[in-house]
Amino acid sequence: MPHLQAKRILLGVTGGVAAYKAAELTRLLVKAGADVRVVMTEAATQFVTPLTFQALSGKPVLTNLWASDADNGMAHIDYSRDVDALLIAPASADFIAKLAHGVADDLLSTLCLARTCPLFVAPAMNRQMWDNPATRRSVALLRSDEVMLLGPASGAQACGEIGPGRMLEPAELLAQMTLNFQPKSLAGKRVLVTAGPTLEALDPVRALTNLSSGKMGYAVAQAAQAAGAEVVLVSGPTCLPTPANVQRVAVRSAAEMAVAVNAALPGVAIFISVAAVADYRPAQASEQKLKKTGAPLTLTLLPNPDILADVASRPDAPFCVGFAAESENLLAHGEAKRQRKRLPLIVVNRVQDALGSDDNELLLLDDAGSHALPRADKLTLARQLIDHIANLYSLKKQE
Ligand code: PMT
């Protein structure tokens, strides 16, 4: 993780069961080369001892506003002044409410208020606490104050309930932090990304669609934004939140996606087509709900426009990157698609690995040959892909 090398990160740990995961996060950050100092709230020390974090970070852990080791008595200011980022993980509902309202009644909240660096917050709480209107208000306030929210994830919770509120896993938080320090290789560039499935209506309640979750495309949009690009994300229907500082245009069908892509194209330097666009649509979408008759139903399907091929064939085409999900012969099928659509770069993934999953494995095919990106979470892969695209793009500009 070269981007985290020697980066100074203040890790704030607040009171919650997920505090034990912050120990693993500390280990991963240190392993990635970061210089980590840990600050714990009093509640956090009820879950994990400061000694654990001291051993993992190699530094004394700060817990007390009044008994700090800063020799000028200014610990509440000093410790967040010379760091590159402040990350609160886990961030309890109580701490998020304090942050949102500028309450500074312990060392960690005071450091947050006195910071001059970016602040990242990884919420962790029971799903009902997360859904509570008070928490929603606090989170909205933090977002408007440009605090970066990492997660939460959804799933089984320590209380036995299932829902949103789980802290992101340490590896995911590491990927998010790495992204923050990514070189701004696309600064000033406008990047257009498509993501997710398309949905082709049969009638008002039924549609033809596919299993794309949008995760890969959203990760690409997030990584491009972190690399300094102005990003427009044209997305089919997904359940994912819009990445911070990305402009999202929601569409349903391939035809709507084509319209949205064409509308966003002026000024676009790079087009990355990650969406799983339906190749066909029903010849007619019934305005009324189709009735069951008991007889076989035959659907006539018409081909959809190939959005990527159409953009790539324009005389003023941006740098176009395609994706291909294949179930076999990845290299041969991917390269054939790249040639057919006249793309400088295509990204091939195995359907079985890619669709809906959090991890993936990519094979990049360009004029220089193939480059494998080994299995990792989609955000890490997206960051590596954006590095590759930025290199190819700048080489092309020098031609
Ligand atoms: O969303 P996830 O669950 O994270 O899954 C990610 C993914 C598997 C959907 C993604 O990584 C991926 O591989 N997307 C491309 C899927 C595919 O196989 O596309 P295709 O072979 O049908 O099309 C090739 C390229 O042309 C793609 O860039 C596609 O966006 C584009 N295309 C295809 C058809 C069409 N009508 N218009 C297009 O623009």
Side-chain angles (χ1 to χ4, degrees):
M1 297 275 179
H3 303 333
L4 279 178
Q5 194 64 42
K7 290 289 180 284
R8 293 154 305 176
I9 295 176
L10 194 71
L11 174 63
V13 183
T14 73
V17 183
Y20 81 93
K21 290 188 186 173
E24 172 66 358
L25 176 61
T26 307
R27 192 186 72 77
L28 292 178
L29 287 167
V30 169
K31 193 170 160 222
D35 178 0
V36 182
R37 183 180 275 276
V38 179
V39 183
M40 299 176 79
T41 62
E42 202 279 324
T45 63
Q46 300 292 322
F47 290 89
V48 183
T49 67
L51 196 59
T52 304
F53 288 102
Q54 182 171 328
L56 291 167
S57 67
K59 291 197 176 64
V61 172
L62 309 166
T63 54
N64 193 331
L65 183 59
W66 309 111
S68 81
D69 59 356
D71 41 23
N72 62 356
M74 289 289 159
H76 65 293
I77 294 174
D78 287 352
Y79 287 121
S80 59
R81 279 291 161 80
D82 60 351
V83 293
D84 298 300
L86 213 164
L87 166 64
I88 313 293
S92 64
D94 171 63
F95 196 79
I96 284 176
K98 270 170 44 168
L99 264 185
H101 294 94
V103 176
D105 61 355
D106 63 5
L107 181 58
L108 185 56
S109 53
T110 314
L111 286 170
C112 288
L113 208 57
R115 76 183 188 281
T116 50
C117 63
L119 173 60
F120 298 82
V121 168
M125 65 195 73
N126 163 272
R127 69 182 171 89
Q128 263 154 348
M129 293 168 88
W130 175 251
D131 279 337
N132 188 290
T135 307
R136 311 308 304 167
R137 278 196 300 276
S138 299
V139 167
L141 278 176
L142 290 186
R143 286 210 170 98
S144 64
D145 288 346
E146 295 187 0
V147 172
M148 277 154 289
L149 271 287
L150 308 181
S154 220
Q157 305 201 309
C159 54
E161 296 179 10
I162 295 177
R166 278 172 64 94
M167 189 174 87
L168 291 186
E169 293 303 319
E172 292 173 282
L173 290 174
L174 179 76
Q176 297 272 0
M177 293 308 289
T178 307
L179 200 64
N180 177 56
F181 295 110
Q182 187 172 346
K184 304 299 173 213
S185 53
L186 295 180
K189 303 279 176 299
R190 183 170 158 90
V191 173
L192 176 60
V193 180
T194 63
T198 56
L199 193 144
E200 310 295 334
L202 282 165
D203 70 13
V205 290
R206 303 182 183 94
L208 300 179
T209 186
N210 62 64
L211 296 177
S212 167
S213 62
K215 288 178 189 169
M216 192 69 238
Y218 278 55
V220 168
Q222 191 182 349
Q225 194 281 329
E230 175 205 344
V231 180
V232 180
L233 171 64
V234 176
S235 172
T238 75
C239 301
L240 303 175
T242 307
N245 303 318
V246 164
Q247 183 198 338
R248 171 170 156 179
V249 182
V251 297
R252 283 157 67 92
S253 63
E256 286 180 23
M257 187 172 275
V259 170
V261 163
N262 285 321
L265 263 184
V268 163
I270 299 170
F271 174 40
I272 312 174
S273 183
V274 195
V277 185
D279 286 325
Y280 295 92
R281 66 180 184 282
Q284 275 180 332
S286 169
E287 278 186 20
Q288 305 304 327
K289 187 178 171 193
L290 294 170
K291 291 289 166 211
K292 187 164 75 178
T293 64
L297 177 66
T298 306
L299 291 176
T300 304
L301 301 179
L302 297 178
N304 270 329
D306 189 320
I307 304 167
L308 174 61
D310 289 349
V311 172
S313 65
R314 292 167 67 119
D316 58 346
F319 185 88
C320 287
V321 180
F323 265 69
E326 304 293 342
S327 54
E328 55 170 357
N329 296 337
L330 267 61
L331 207 149
H333 289 325
E335 185 56 21
K337 237 174 229 181
R338 184 173 91 90
Q339 298 296 340
R340 201 166 55 243
K341 302 202 185 199
R342 297 167 183 272
L343 306 171
L345 173 65
I346 197 158
V347 182
V348 196
N349 43 197
R350 267 165 43 94
V351 176
Q352 302 90 317
D353 292 333
L355 268 180
S357 58
D358 292 334
D359 292 352
N360 202 357
E361 234 177 281
L362 302 179
L363 187 64
L364 316 189
L365 304 181
D366 58 28
D367 290 345
S370 66
H371 321 260
L373 298 184
R375 173 164 292 282
D377 60 275
K378 285 181 174 170
L379 191 57
T380 299
L381 291 170
R383 189 175 48 72
Q384 294 167 346
L385 172 63
I386 289 296
D387 281 348
H388 192 82
I389 291 173
N391 277 336
L392 287 186
Y393 178 79
S394 73
L395 286 174
K396 185 173 168 271
K397 286 279 124 186
Q398 287 160 23
E399 279 171 9

Short mmCIF file of all heavy atoms in Angstrom, two decimals, residues 321-324 326 329-335 338 345-350 353 360-366 369-375 381 385 388:
data_model
loop_
_atom_site.label_atom_id
_atom_site.label_comp_id
_atom_site.label_asym_id
_atom_site.label_seq_id
_atom_site.Cartn_x
_atom_site.Cartn_y
_atom_site.Cartn_z
N VAL A 321 -13.12 2.79 -21.98
CA VAL A 321 -12.75 1.56 -21.29
C VAL A 321 -13.99 0.69 -21.17
O VAL A 321 -15.02 1.12 -20.64
CB VAL A 321 -12.21 1.87 -19.87
CG1 VAL A 321 -11.82 0.57 -19.16
CG2 VAL A 321 -11.03 2.83 -19.95
N GLY A 322 -13.90 -0.56 -21.68
CA GLY A 322 -15.03 -1.47 -21.58
C GLY A 322 -14.80 -2.49 -20.49
O GLY A 322 -13.67 -2.68 -20.01
N PHE A 323 -15.85 -3.16 -20.08
CA PHE A 323 -15.78 -4.30 -19.17
C PHE A 323 -16.36 -5.50 -19.89
O PHE A 323 -17.22 -5.35 -20.76
CB PHE A 323 -16.59 -4.03 -17.89
CG PHE A 323 -15.76 -3.49 -16.75
CD1 PHE A 323 -15.22 -2.21 -16.81
CD2 PHE A 323 -15.52 -4.25 -15.61
CE1 PHE A 323 -14.46 -1.71 -15.77
CE2 PHE A 323 -14.77 -3.77 -14.56
CZ PHE A 323 -14.23 -2.50 -14.63
N ALA A 324 -15.91 -6.69 -19.54
CA ALA A 324 -16.50 -7.90 -20.10
C ALA A 324 -16.58 -8.95 -19.01
O ALA A 324 -15.57 -9.26 -18.37
CB ALA A 324 -15.65 -8.41 -21.26
N GLU A 326 -17.11 -12.71 -18.43
CA GLU A 326 -17.06 -13.94 -19.22
C GLU A 326 -17.07 -15.15 -18.28
O GLU A 326 -16.60 -15.06 -17.15
CB GLU A 326 -15.78 -13.97 -20.08
CG GLU A 326 -15.61 -12.77 -21.00
CD GLU A 326 -16.65 -12.71 -22.12
OE1 GLU A 326 -17.27 -13.75 -22.38
OE2 GLU A 326 -16.85 -11.62 -22.70
N ASN A 329 -12.67 -18.83 -21.19
CA ASN A 329 -11.76 -18.23 -22.19
C ASN A 329 -11.68 -16.71 -22.04
O ASN A 329 -11.91 -15.96 -23.01
CB ASN A 329 -12.20 -18.55 -23.62
CG ASN A 329 -12.14 -20.04 -23.89
OD1 ASN A 329 -11.39 -20.75 -23.21
ND2 ASN A 329 -12.91 -20.50 -24.84
N LEU A 330 -11.36 -16.26 -20.84
CA LEU A 330 -11.41 -14.83 -20.54
C LEU A 330 -10.58 -14.00 -21.53
O LEU A 330 -11.04 -12.98 -22.05
CB LEU A 330 -10.90 -14.57 -19.11
CG LEU A 330 -11.98 -14.54 -18.03
CD1 LEU A 330 -12.73 -15.85 -17.92
CD2 LEU A 330 -11.41 -14.12 -16.70
N LEU A 331 -9.35 -14.47 -21.75
CA LEU A 331 -8.44 -13.67 -22.58
C LEU A 331 -8.96 -13.57 -24.01
O LEU A 331 -9.07 -12.47 -24.57
CB LEU A 331 -7.05 -14.31 -22.54
CG LEU A 331 -5.90 -13.36 -22.76
CD1 LEU A 331 -4.67 -13.83 -21.99
CD2 LEU A 331 -5.55 -13.21 -24.23
N ALA A 332 -9.33 -14.72 -24.59
CA ALA A 332 -9.76 -14.73 -26.00
C ALA A 332 -11.05 -13.94 -26.19
O ALA A 332 -11.16 -13.07 -27.07
CB ALA A 332 -9.94 -16.17 -26.46
N HIS A 333 -12.04 -14.21 -25.31
CA HIS A 333 -13.32 -13.51 -25.47
C HIS A 333 -13.17 -12.01 -25.19
O HIS A 333 -13.76 -11.18 -25.88
CB HIS A 333 -14.37 -14.10 -24.53
CG HIS A 333 -14.83 -15.47 -24.91
ND1 HIS A 333 -14.96 -15.87 -26.21
CD2 HIS A 333 -15.21 -16.54 -24.17
CE1 HIS A 333 -15.37 -17.13 -26.27
NE2 HIS A 333 -15.53 -17.56 -25.02
N GLY A 334 -12.37 -11.69 -24.18
CA GLY A 334 -12.18 -10.28 -23.82
C GLY A 334 -11.48 -9.52 -24.94
O GLY A 334 -11.90 -8.42 -25.32
N GLU A 335 -10.43 -10.13 -25.49
CA GLU A 335 -9.68 -9.45 -26.55
C GLU A 335 -10.55 -9.29 -27.80
O GLU A 335 -10.51 -8.24 -28.48
CB GLU A 335 -8.39 -10.23 -26.87
CG GLU A 335 -7.46 -9.58 -27.87
CD GLU A 335 -7.00 -8.15 -27.51
OE1 GLU A 335 -7.06 -7.77 -26.32
OE2 GLU A 335 -6.61 -7.40 -28.44
N ARG A 338 -12.71 -6.39 -27.22
CA ARG A 338 -11.93 -5.13 -27.28
C ARG A 338 -11.73 -4.71 -28.74
O ARG A 338 -11.91 -3.55 -29.09
CB ARG A 338 -10.58 -5.33 -26.58
CG ARG A 338 -9.73 -4.07 -26.52
CD ARG A 338 -8.50 -4.29 -25.67
NE ARG A 338 -7.36 -4.75 -26.45
CZ ARG A 338 -6.47 -3.95 -27.02
NH1 ARG A 338 -6.60 -2.64 -26.91
NH2 ARG A 338 -5.46 -4.44 -27.70
N LEU A 345 -8.69 -0.20 -24.00
CA LEU A 345 -8.57 -1.04 -22.80
C LEU A 345 -9.90 -1.73 -22.51
O LEU A 345 -10.96 -1.10 -22.56
CB LEU A 345 -8.19 -0.15 -21.60
CG LEU A 345 -8.19 -0.80 -20.21
CD1 LEU A 345 -7.11 -1.89 -20.10
CD2 LEU A 345 -7.95 0.25 -19.12
N ILE A 346 -9.81 -3.04 -22.22
CA ILE A 346 -11.01 -3.74 -21.73
C ILE A 346 -10.64 -4.47 -20.44
O ILE A 346 -9.49 -4.93 -20.28
CB ILE A 346 -11.62 -4.70 -22.79
CG1 ILE A 346 -13.06 -5.06 -22.40
CG2 ILE A 346 -10.78 -5.95 -22.97
CD1 ILE A 346 -13.92 -5.54 -23.56
N VAL A 347 -11.58 -4.53 -19.53
CA VAL A 347 -11.35 -5.15 -18.22
C VAL A 347 -12.20 -6.41 -18.17
O VAL A 347 -13.43 -6.33 -18.23
CB VAL A 347 -11.78 -4.18 -17.10
CG1 VAL A 347 -11.51 -4.80 -15.74
CG2 VAL A 347 -11.07 -2.84 -17.26
N VAL A 348 -11.55 -7.56 -18.07
CA VAL A 348 -12.29 -8.82 -18.11
C VAL A 348 -12.38 -9.40 -16.70
O VAL A 348 -11.40 -9.37 -15.95
CB VAL A 348 -11.59 -9.84 -19.04
CG1 VAL A 348 -12.55 -10.97 -19.40
CG2 VAL A 348 -11.10 -9.17 -20.31
N ASN A 349 -13.58 -9.88 -16.36
CA ASN A 349 -13.72 -10.59 -15.08
C ASN A 349 -14.59 -11.82 -15.28
O ASN A 349 -15.36 -11.91 -16.24
CB ASN A 349 -14.25 -9.70 -13.95
CG ASN A 349 -15.40 -8.76 -14.32
OD1 ASN A 349 -15.70 -7.82 -13.61
ND2 ASN A 349 -16.06 -9.02 -15.43
N ARG A 350 -14.42 -12.79 -14.38
CA ARG A 350 -15.22 -14.01 -14.47
C ARG A 350 -16.59 -13.74 -13.88
O ARG A 350 -16.70 -13.23 -12.76
CB ARG A 350 -14.54 -15.15 -13.67
CG ARG A 350 -13.62 -16.02 -14.51
CD ARG A 350 -12.73 -16.87 -13.63
NE ARG A 350 -13.44 -17.46 -12.52
CZ ARG A 350 -13.98 -18.68 -12.52
NH1 ARG A 350 -13.88 -19.43 -13.58
NH2 ARG A 350 -14.58 -19.14 -11.45
N ASP A 353 -17.05 -14.82 -10.38
CA ASP A 353 -16.35 -14.06 -9.33
C ASP A 353 -16.98 -12.69 -9.12
O ASP A 353 -16.97 -12.15 -8.01
CB ASP A 353 -14.89 -13.76 -9.75
CG ASP A 353 -14.05 -15.01 -9.80
OD1 ASP A 353 -14.39 -15.96 -9.08
OD2 ASP A 353 -13.08 -15.03 -10.56
N ASN A 360 -13.27 -9.31 -6.31
CA ASN A 360 -13.23 -9.62 -7.73
C ASN A 360 -11.77 -9.89 -8.11
O ASN A 360 -10.86 -9.76 -7.27
CB ASN A 360 -13.79 -8.42 -8.53
CG ASN A 360 -14.28 -8.80 -9.92
OD1 ASN A 360 -14.15 -9.94 -10.33
ND2 ASN A 360 -14.85 -7.83 -10.61
N GLU A 361 -11.55 -10.24 -9.35
CA GLU A 361 -10.23 -10.46 -9.91
C GLU A 361 -10.31 -9.92 -11.31
O GLU A 361 -11.28 -10.22 -12.01
CB GLU A 361 -10.00 -11.98 -9.99
CG GLU A 361 -8.76 -12.48 -9.33
CD GLU A 361 -8.70 -14.00 -9.41
OE1 GLU A 361 -9.39 -14.64 -8.60
OE2 GLU A 361 -7.98 -14.52 -10.29
N LEU A 362 -9.35 -9.10 -11.74
CA LEU A 362 -9.48 -8.45 -13.05
C LEU A 362 -8.32 -8.80 -13.96
O LEU A 362 -7.18 -8.98 -13.51
CB LEU A 362 -9.54 -6.92 -12.89
CG LEU A 362 -10.66 -6.34 -12.02
CD1 LEU A 362 -10.54 -4.81 -11.96
CD2 LEU A 362 -12.03 -6.75 -12.51
N LEU A 363 -8.62 -8.86 -15.26
CA LEU A 363 -7.60 -9.02 -16.28
C LEU A 363 -7.73 -7.81 -17.20
O LEU A 363 -8.78 -7.63 -17.83
CB LEU A 363 -7.86 -10.32 -17.05
CG LEU A 363 -6.79 -10.74 -18.04
CD1 LEU A 363 -5.47 -11.05 -17.32
CD2 LEU A 363 -7.25 -11.97 -18.81
N LEU A 364 -6.68 -6.98 -17.26
CA LEU A 364 -6.74 -5.77 -18.09
C LEU A 364 -6.08 -6.09 -19.43
O LEU A 364 -4.93 -6.55 -19.46
CB LEU A 364 -6.01 -4.60 -17.42
CG LEU A 364 -6.23 -4.38 -15.91
CD1 LEU A 364 -5.60 -3.05 -15.48
CD2 LEU A 364 -7.70 -4.39 -15.57
N LEU A 365 -6.79 -5.84 -20.52
CA LEU A 365 -6.23 -6.10 -21.86
C LEU A 365 -6.11 -4.78 -22.60
O LEU A 365 -7.10 -4.05 -22.78
CB LEU A 365 -7.16 -7.04 -22.64
CG LEU A 365 -7.50 -8.38 -21.99
CD1 LEU A 365 -8.41 -9.20 -22.90
CD2 LEU A 365 -6.24 -9.16 -21.66
N ASP A 366 -4.88 -4.45 -23.01
CA ASP A 366 -4.66 -3.24 -23.80
C ASP A 366 -3.66 -3.52 -24.90
O ASP A 366 -3.28 -4.69 -25.10
CB ASP A 366 -4.23 -2.06 -22.89
CG ASP A 366 -2.96 -2.37 -22.11
OD1 ASP A 366 -2.12 -3.16 -22.61
OD2 ASP A 366 -2.79 -1.81 -21.01
N GLY A 369 -0.70 -5.75 -24.03
CA GLY A 369 -0.88 -7.13 -23.60
C GLY A 369 -1.84 -7.22 -22.43
O GLY A 369 -2.76 -6.41 -22.31
N SER A 370 -1.60 -8.23 -21.55
CA SER A 370 -2.55 -8.42 -20.44
C SER A 370 -1.86 -8.17 -19.10
O SER A 370 -0.66 -8.40 -18.94
CB SER A 370 -3.11 -9.84 -20.49
OG SER A 370 -2.08 -10.76 -20.24
N HIS A 371 -2.64 -7.67 -18.16
CA HIS A 371 -2.14 -7.36 -16.81
C HIS A 371 -3.17 -7.89 -15.83
O HIS A 371 -4.34 -7.47 -15.89
CB HIS A 371 -2.00 -5.85 -16.58
CG HIS A 371 -1.49 -5.11 -17.79
ND1 HIS A 371 -0.18 -4.73 -17.92
CD2 HIS A 371 -2.12 -4.72 -18.93
CE1 HIS A 371 -0.03 -4.13 -19.09
NE2 HIS A 371 -1.18 -4.11 -19.71
N ALA A 372 -2.72 -8.78 -14.94
CA ALA A 372 -3.68 -9.37 -13.99
C ALA A 372 -3.69 -8.56 -12.70
O ALA A 372 -2.64 -8.19 -12.17
CB ALA A 372 -3.29 -10.81 -13.70
N LEU A 373 -4.89 -8.28 -12.20
CA LEU A 373 -5.02 -7.67 -10.87
C LEU A 373 -5.60 -8.75 -9.97
O LEU A 373 -6.76 -9.12 -10.12
CB LEU A 373 -5.92 -6.44 -10.89
CG LEU A 373 -5.47 -5.25 -11.76
CD1 LEU A 373 -6.44 -4.07 -11.60
CD2 LEU A 373 -4.06 -4.81 -11.37
N PRO A 374 -4.78 -9.28 -9.03
CA PRO A 374 -5.23 -10.42 -8.23
C PRO A 374 -6.41 -10.08 -7.33
O PRO A 374 -6.69 -8.91 -7.06
CB PRO A 374 -4.00 -10.81 -7.41
CG PRO A 374 -3.01 -9.73 -7.59
CD PRO A 374 -3.43 -8.85 -8.73
N ARG A 375 -7.05 -11.14 -6.83
CA ARG A 375 -8.28 -11.00 -6.02
C ARG A 375 -8.11 -9.99 -4.90
O ARG A 375 -7.13 -10.01 -4.16
CB ARG A 375 -8.63 -12.37 -5.44
CG ARG A 375 -9.78 -12.36 -4.45
CD ARG A 375 -10.32 -13.76 -4.23
NE ARG A 375 -10.99 -14.24 -5.44
CZ ARG A 375 -12.22 -13.87 -5.82
NH1 ARG A 375 -12.92 -13.03 -5.10
NH2 ARG A 375 -12.75 -14.35 -6.92
N LEU A 381 -9.36 -2.88 -6.22
CA LEU A 381 -9.16 -3.14 -7.65
C LEU A 381 -9.47 -1.89 -8.47
O LEU A 381 -8.76 -1.58 -9.43
CB LEU A 381 -10.06 -4.30 -8.10
CG LEU A 381 -9.68 -5.67 -7.55
CD1 LEU A 381 -10.76 -6.68 -7.85
CD2 LEU A 381 -8.35 -6.13 -8.15
N LEU A 385 -7.11 -0.04 -11.06
CA LEU A 385 -7.56 0.16 -12.44
C LEU A 385 -7.44 1.64 -12.82
O LEU A 385 -6.98 1.96 -13.93
CB LEU A 385 -9.01 -0.33 -12.58
CG LEU A 385 -9.69 -0.01 -13.91
CD1 LEU A 385 -8.98 -0.70 -15.08
CD2 LEU A 385 -11.17 -0.43 -13.88
N HIS A 388 -3.99 2.51 -13.70
CA HIS A 388 -3.64 2.01 -15.03
C HIS A 388 -4.25 2.90 -16.12
O HIS A 388 -3.58 3.27 -17.09
CB HIS A 388 -4.16 0.57 -15.16
CG HIS A 388 -3.64 -0.16 -16.35
ND1 HIS A 388 -2.41 -0.78 -16.38
CD2 HIS A 388 -4.17 -0.35 -17.59
CE1 HIS A 388 -2.22 -1.32 -17.58
NE2 HIS A 388 -3.27 -1.08 -18.33
#
